Amino acid sequence: MASARNLCQHSDIDGIQCKSNDYILCPHCQLQLCLKHLNSHQDLLRSELFILCDDIDRVRINFDNLIFDSTNQREYLFKQLDEWYDQKINLITKIYAEKKQEIQILCLKSHMEFDIYKTKQEKQLKDNLIKQLNKVLKQKQIHIEDLNKMKTKLDYIQKGLDELKQLNIDIYFDNTNFDINIIKRRYIEAAKVM
Ligand SMILES: [Zn+2]
Ligand SMILES: [Zn+2]
């Protein structure tokens, strides 16, 4: 013999190597094997092929059963849209109720301020300006200074009266973020003391 024979390189699960001489290189595992083990490796490949057949068949069946599920898709999207709608409706309902209450409170406050400043202005008119007027009316000569003072007083009172006639609560809508601002102004002119 030109060269010593090599042993089959197959080992069983316990790691015990085959005692037979090798015959050929197995293309599956790149080991030199005896004929018996070459055949057993061929059987391994055949069982892998059967598994592959099953996998291919499973994918083919999946394709056969695959349809465009328009109902499910639509329901899924509708559900999300409905959730968005409910959230927004709830939010708007909440803001609406809050703002109504805010208006109620501001109107009460405004009414109270109105009464206070109206009384104040009337008091300026009757106790101050009209008293002065009656005094001047009784005088023999009219002084320009008295006249100008009374004109200034009347001007202030008139401005206060004009303010009291106007609505002093405004509402502003911010449509981008559902925000509503309600602003009550104070009676500025009427608050001035002569
Ligand atoms: Zn092999
Ligand atoms: Zn062997």
Side-chain angles (χ1 to χ4, degrees), residues 18 34-41:
C18 173
C34 68
L35 198 58
K36 178 190 154 205
H37 281 123
L38 185 73
N39 279 326
S40 79
H41 283 208

Side-chain angles (χ1 to χ4, degrees), residues 7-11 17-23 32-38 40:
L7 290 179
C8 168
Q9 291 180 298
H10 179 89
S11 298
Q17 201 183 340
C18 173
K19 300 280 187 292
S20 305
N21 289 323
D22 67 341
Y23 178 70
Q32 287 290 134
L33 299 179
C34 68
L35 198 58
K36 178 190 154 205
H37 281 123
L38 185 73
S40 79

Side-chain angles (χ1 to χ4, degrees), residues 100-116 168-169 182 184 187:
K100 272 211 152 169
Q101 194 171 7
E102 197 180 327
I103 288 170
Q104 295 275 32
I105 292 165
L106 287 178
C107 283
L108 279 174
K109 275 188 186 168
S110 183
H111 193 170
M112 285 193 317
E113 285 179 18
F114 179 91
D115 288 345
I116 290 167
N168 69 336
I169 301 173
I182 302 160
K184 181 178 74 61
Y187 297 111

Side-chain angles (χ1 to χ4, degrees), residues 26-31 33 37 41:
C26 175
H28 147 259
C29 59
Q30 304 298 319
L31 295 176
L33 299 179
H37 281 123
H41 283 208

Side-chain angles (χ1 to χ4, degrees), residues 182-193:
I182 302 160
I183 299 184
K184 181 178 74 61
R185 293 185 308 277
R186 300 197 50 161
Y187 297 111
I188 299 164
E189 285 303 328
K192 277 185 188 163
V193 180

